[in-house]
Amino acid sequence: MTTQEALFKYTLRLGDNGLIQGQRLSEWCSRGPILEEDLAITNLALDNIGRAQAFLKYAGEVEGKQKTEDDLAFKRGEREFYNLLMTELPIGDFAYTVAKQVLISAYEYFLYTELSNSTDEIIAGISQKAIKEVRYHLAHAKDWSERLGNGTEESKARLQKAYDELWSYTGEFFETTEEEKVLAPSKVAATTKNFEAKWNDMINEIFTISSITPPTAGWMQSGSQNGIHTEHLGHLLSEMQYLQRAYPDAKW
Amino acid sequence: MGARSGLGFSTKTSEIILVKKQTNMTQDTQLDLWEVFIQGKAGGDHKHAGSVHASDGKMALQNARDIYTRRNEGSSIWVIPSKYVVASLSEDADMLFDPAEDKIYRHPTFYVMPEGAQQI
Amino acid sequence: MSTAVDLHTSFQEKIDKDLKIEPKDAMPEDYRKHLIRQISQHAHSEVIGMQPEGNWISRAPSLRAKQILLAKIQDEGGHGLYLYSACETLGISREELIDQLQTGAAKYSNIFNYPAVTWADMGAIGWLVDGAAIVNQVSLQRTSYGPYARAMVRICKEESFHQRQGYEIMANMMKGTKEQREMAQDAMNRWWWPSLMMFGPHDGDSPRSGNAFTWKIKRQSNDILRQRFIDKTVQQAEVIGLTIPDKDLKWNEEKQSYDHGEINWDEFKRVINGDGPCNKQRMDHHIKYHNEGKWVREAALAFQQKQAK
């Protein structure tokens, strides 16, 4: 894999994580448990989509085939997306969304902290902005995790179930991808193994304050780094890409 | 729901009857009412922006941020449960504020200074 | 101590002097009731309005369009919140207001009982529906009740981006492919008349007009506002090549405004009384997600009570 190919795939993945997360979070619009939270979740979605736009635009430049961020978002197929599997899972109930947000935001907190010092200027710039957003996402999710875990019997049960079900999708966070092997030595990319322990510590702290029993470790889901996704992604893309695919000559 | 009682509605002419619907099972509320104050520029006053619903301070702050500062309107936020706001009654306005009207000696312009005196 | 007569006199004096009435001021019970109904229905409209537009977020045809639509709908939710806040100052809880909406005791703007069937509807809704709302809301900035007026000022600042967003979508499509142009004109055809109905019946036919004007809750008549909307919008349509679906639309040189065809008030009455394309769907959606959120609200309360111990 050349450096250019690695950088293209690396930035695609960063963009795709934002895009698919944003797409899922925006499903909460007009469905939130209270109006204030509807607006809060929409803000999270907007942050993610904005970040996706920035990374996909850069990815297009790196690839060098004149593709815009929209070309990349709306015209790639299921096997060309590199978002982490967890991001494409359905939103589930509010506990599921909160648990997902805790796990991913904690990961992104450490990822973007490291990428803020990337030797690639563009990645560093986007990451410096992202880290401010992610800190808020993490605070918001962590506070809700604490409330639900210590709220009622029902909220605690739902939250525990959510963490238990999502746990097998966390292994992927710390797989060393081919792109990382190429780009990490020059510190363009982050070395995810560097913060795996810190992430575990943070998650365990959140489990403790949420009165949650840490899920038992077991087999981990995998595949997104090779574009092998869950069955959910295809449906998500059908909906997201519909207008561009139905009207290929149209400019929107 | 004590959120409104602290504001002291004038009850002499119009009785306000709060009809609270009894929901079955546990209480299902829209949480509590909080008042929001936003400081625009650092060093400026916090101004009342409106209210939000929340069940604790962290939620109230985050909600206030999401609702009232999306367009760069804020550098600091204060939130307070509405029930803690104590407000003056409008029919007391003349008793509270009129007496200040004629005490013009509190204003520097009341005083005639000798010609030529500086920095006074 | 002020007598009842004094307090009511001072209320009307304030109104006549264009002073604001604030939450702690004495006010006639009918004034309070009128405001609760009007402000809450305005708030409900914003919240219900999130649904037809929310329908297209997942299919927005570009990343920019997706962000803009999300931000717009977020604003609508925010407007609902400002208005619920203003309404709560009148001594009613948000639980009660939501209950009124869900039992049908309170209404919301009729316009949202129509379906958003194509992407072009996002353009039509932003341009026409928000455009009509702006005309109404600018007028309401001078309403007599302080919290309502202040909410309106805030809302008006945010609303003009909404209209521009919609108009931009339409303008863009009208410069596009044949299919895009047809889609835009089709959306225009379906949203024009319902938008005119947003201003309400002719003032002669409106039951609560009298008090609304005496108390300066309402500052200008339905017909005047409707005419203002038509006059500015026709020009905007012409600039981008859209046709207004009204064969009786004609410029009146003497009045310096457009004469227009008669509005189908039977349709208006039918839809507002429950028999519209989306009435049931909008309410079912609101009730469903409110119920699904119950355990979350209960958990937040339970956590709060534990913290207090």
Side-chain angles (χ1 to χ4, degrees):
Chain A
M1 176 179 253
T2 67
T3 310
Q4 186 197 16
E5 283 165 351
L7 187 59
F8 178 54
K9 206 173 157 196
Y10 192 72
T11 47
L12 272 182
R13 186 182 183 89
L14 291 172
D16 289 348
N17 277 337
L19 178 57
I20 304 302
Q21 262 194 90
Q23 181 77 358
R24 281 299 188 208
L25 284 167
S26 58
E27 288 178 26
W28 278 102
C29 187
S30 82
R31 300 186 174 93
I34 190 166
L35 191 50
E36 282 84 353
E37 191 59 26
D38 216 298
L39 265 70
I41 297 177
T42 305
N43 259 349
L44 307 185
L46 279 168
D47 285 345
N48 275 300
I49 296 168
R51 194 180 325 141
Q53 198 179 26
F55 276 122
L56 290 179
K57 179 167 187 285
Y58 183 42
E61 288 162 16
V62 167
E63 193 195 24
K65 292 182 181 166
Q66 265 87 48
K67 288 189 198 148
T68 64
E69 62 268 32
D70 284 338
D71 291 329
L72 289 169
F74 294 92
K75 293 175 184 164
R76 275 181 297 148
E78 298 84 358
R79 297 280 278 104
E80 297 163 287
F81 272 78
Y82 301 107
N83 55 289
L84 292 165
L85 298 180
M86 191 186 287
T87 62
E88 71 205 35
L89 299 176
I91 59 175
D93 66 7
F94 187 67
Y96 203 80
T97 291
V98 166
K100 212 201 266 193
Q101 200 64 56
V102 164
L103 297 169
I104 293 180
S105 296
Y107 161 76
E108 289 188 331
Y109 172 76
F110 292 111
L111 175 69
Y112 287 115
T113 300
E114 216 181 291
L115 285 179
S116 295
N117 298 316
S118 169
T119 50
D120 178 307
E121 259 178 31
I122 310 247
I123 292 180
I126 301 172
S127 302
Q128 282 155 21
K129 181 163 171 282
I131 192 64
K132 293 181 200 174
E133 295 169 354
V134 169
R135 281 176 56 202
Y136 187 78
H137 295 201
L138 181 58
H140 188 91
K142 182 177 163 185
D143 290 341
W144 269 111
S145 181
E146 190 183 355
R147 283 180 204 115
L148 297 183
N150 296 296
T152 58
E153 285 305 310
E154 180 177 2
S155 65
K156 182 176 172 172
R158 285 180 186 250
L159 188 66
Q160 182 71 60
K161 181 166 185 277
Y163 279 124
D164 288 340
E165 286 181 12
L166 288 165
W167 194 250
S168 66
Y169 292 91
T170 60
E172 263 206 324
F173 293 4
F174 303 103
E175 286 174 359
T176 304
T177 62
E178 288 308 307
E179 313 82 77
E180 194 182 304
K181 286 185 191 144
V182 172
L183 300 170
S186 57
K187 296 220 195 303
V188 164
T191 305
T192 44
K193 281 263 181 270
N194 280 353
F195 54 82
E196 187 174 4
K198 283 191 270 191
W199 178 86
N200 266 296
D201 288 343
M202 183 183 274
I203 295 300
N204 277 316
E205 191 198 309
I206 295 176
F207 285 159
T208 304
I209 63 164
S210 308
S211 308
I212 290 293
T213 311
T216 33
W219 178 80
M220 288 292 180
Q221 294 270 4
S222 180
S224 66
Q225 65 167 300
N226 297 313
I228 298 174
H229 288 270
T230 69
E231 289 179 355
H232 299 296
L233 186 67
H235 292 287
L236 183 155
L237 293 179
S238 301
E239 211 174 308
M240 190 178 83
Q241 299 181 337
Y242 155 69
L243 274 171
Q244 286 234 10
R245 293 206 186 258
Y247 302 96
D249 302 327
K251 283 200 189 10
W252 300 96
Chain B
M1 175 121 183
R4 281 290 125 196
S5 55
L7 293 181
F9 285 101
S10 158
T11 55
K12 297 201 175 54
T13 51
S14 44
E15 283 288 323
I16 305 120
I17 300 145
L18 280 180
V19 179
K20 187 130 182 34
K21 272 259 160 126
Q22 289 303 310
T23 51
N24 53 0
M25 302 193 316
T26 51
Q27 240 193 356
D28 178 17
T29 74
Q30 288 282 298
L31 314 180
D32 292 333
L33 196 60
W34 296 65
E35 299 303 322
V36 177
F37 300 82
I38 309 278
Q39 181 189 45
K41 291 193 185 29
D45 291 328
H46 281 71
K47 275 181 62 179
H48 183 244
S51 53
V52 292
H53 285 242
S55 57
D56 57 58
K58 282 186 195 173
M59 194 194 291
L61 272 180
Q62 287 170 16
N63 286 345
R65 177 265 202 186
D66 286 330
I67 292 150
Y68 292 103
T69 70
R70 290 200 303 280
R71 286 168 165 86
N72 254 333
E73 300 105 308
S75 59
S76 164
I77 302 174
W78 290 348
V79 289
I80 179 167
S82 305
K83 63 187 178 189
Y84 293 127
V85 173
V86 182
S88 58
L89 302 182
S90 77
E91 68 254 31
D92 292 341
D94 47 4
M95 148 179 106
L96 286 171
F97 306 117
D98 285 359
E101 254 170 56
D102 67 351
K103 295 181 173 64
I104 57 176
Y105 41 76
R106 290 194 172 120
H107 297 274
T109 45
F110 176 78
Y111 299 89
V112 179
M113 294 284 96
E115 273 294 323
Q118 294 181 10
Q119 293 182 312
I120 183 147
Chain C
M1 283 288 156
S2 312
T3 63
V5 172
D6 289 342
L7 287 170
H8 274 243
T9 313
S10 71
F11 164 80
Q12 193 59 49
E13 265 174 18
K14 276 196 180 142
I15 300 272
D16 295 338
K17 287 184 193 162
D18 265 327
L19 295 172
K20 295 290 178 224
I21 306 296
E22 297 294 346
K24 299 160 300 318
D25 294 349
M27 59 182 82
E29 187 53 26
D30 281 346
Y31 178 78
R32 181 190 313 280
K33 283 194 178 134
H34 188 123
L35 278 172
I36 287 177
R37 201 195 68 255
Q38 181 166 327
I39 299 173
S40 68
Q41 292 189 164
H42 196 163
H44 296 322
S45 301
E46 301 280 0
V47 172
I48 298 293
M50 294 168 78
Q51 290 184 40
E53 290 180 301
N55 183 35
W56 277 93
I57 297 170
S58 64
R59 292 172 293 173
S62 73
L63 294 182
R64 179 176 179 271
K66 198 191 283 285
Q67 287 172 88
I68 289 172
L69 184 59
L70 267 167
K72 178 188 192 278
I73 297 172
Q74 189 183 42
D75 274 357
E76 310 297 8
H79 295 176
L81 274 163
Y82 303 154
L83 290 162
Y84 283 132
S85 294
C87 199
E88 285 182 284
T89 64
L90 290 159
I92 186 165
S93 70
R94 205 161 85 181
E95 291 88 353
E96 173 105 39
L97 294 172
I98 288 176
D99 197 61
Q100 287 176 353
L101 172 65
Q102 295 185 344
T103 56
K107 297 211 176 302
Y108 55 89
S109 183
N110 219 16
I111 193 80
F112 299 120
N113 289 320
Y114 292 90
V117 290
T118 71
W119 175 250
D121 289 41
M122 295 301 101
I125 291 173
W127 173 43
L128 300 176
V129 175
D130 283 78
I134 286 173
V135 171
N136 192 35
Q137 282 161 188
V138 165
S139 181
L140 279 171
Q141 285 179 124
R142 292 167 50 232
T143 195
S144 57
Y145 189 56
Y148 192 20
R150 290 189 287 275
M152 280 299 116
V153 168
R154 232 199 139 83
I155 288 172
C156 284
K157 282 203 186 108
E158 298 179 355
E159 200 76 49
S160 46
F161 121 62
H162 300 180
Q163 192 186 25
R164 287 187 176 197
Q165 169 257 7
Y167 190 54
E168 188 189 72
I169 290 175
M170 294 302 245
N172 197 39
M173 291 181 76
M174 288 308 285
K175 283 189 302 197
T177 65
K178 178 164 172 289
E179 284 157 323
Q180 284 178 300
R181 293 195 302 274
E182 283 171 358
M183 201 192 285
Q185 183 62 59
D186 171 69
M188 175 93 211
N189 295 343
R190 285 181 288 102
W191 288 94
W192 174 253
W193 290 102
S195 299
L196 297 190
M197 294 180 206
M198 280 176 74
F199 293 96
H202 295 306
D203 295 288
D205 305 328
S206 199
R208 295 177 241 260
S209 268
N211 277 339
F213 281 107
T214 311
W215 292 332
K216 295 191 181 171
I217 292 175
K218 197 171 170 50
R219 300 312 301 260
Q220 285 165 301
S221 76
N222 294 347
D223 291 326
I224 285 181
L225 295 175
R226 185 177 6 249
Q227 190 63 54
R228 188 173 297 163
F229 170 73
I230 293 172
D231 291 340
K232 71 174 176 139
T233 309
V234 172
Q235 188 267 344
Q236 290 164 358
E238 283 171 357
V239 165
I240 58 177
L242 278 168
T243 308
I244 308 277
D246 180 358
K247 54 176 173 42
D248 298 317
L249 190 79
K250 228 170 73 162
W251 179 250
N252 185 319
E253 189 61 37
E254 203 190 306
K255 292 199 306 194
Q256 283 292 296
S257 77
Y258 284 94
D259 289 334
H260 58 90
E262 194 47 48
I263 291 168
N264 184 348
W265 293 113
D266 286 337
E267 178 185 331
F268 175 77
K269 284 194 200 109
R270 184 174 43 81
V271 175
I272 203 152
N273 286 316
D275 290 342
C278 296
N279 301 51
K280 182 171 192 305
Q281 176 191 334
R282 300 287 179 238
M283 202 45 58
D284 284 351
H285 179 112
H286 194 271
I287 291 171
K288 175 179 182 203
Y289 292 105
H290 179 80
N291 290 343
E292 283 187 12
K294 184 156 181 265
W295 69 266
V296 180
R297 299 188 292 272
E298 286 174 349
L301 266 183
F303 179 72
Q304 178 199 39
Q305 280 155 13
K306 286 180 191 171
Q307 297 300 98
K309 289 197 184 119

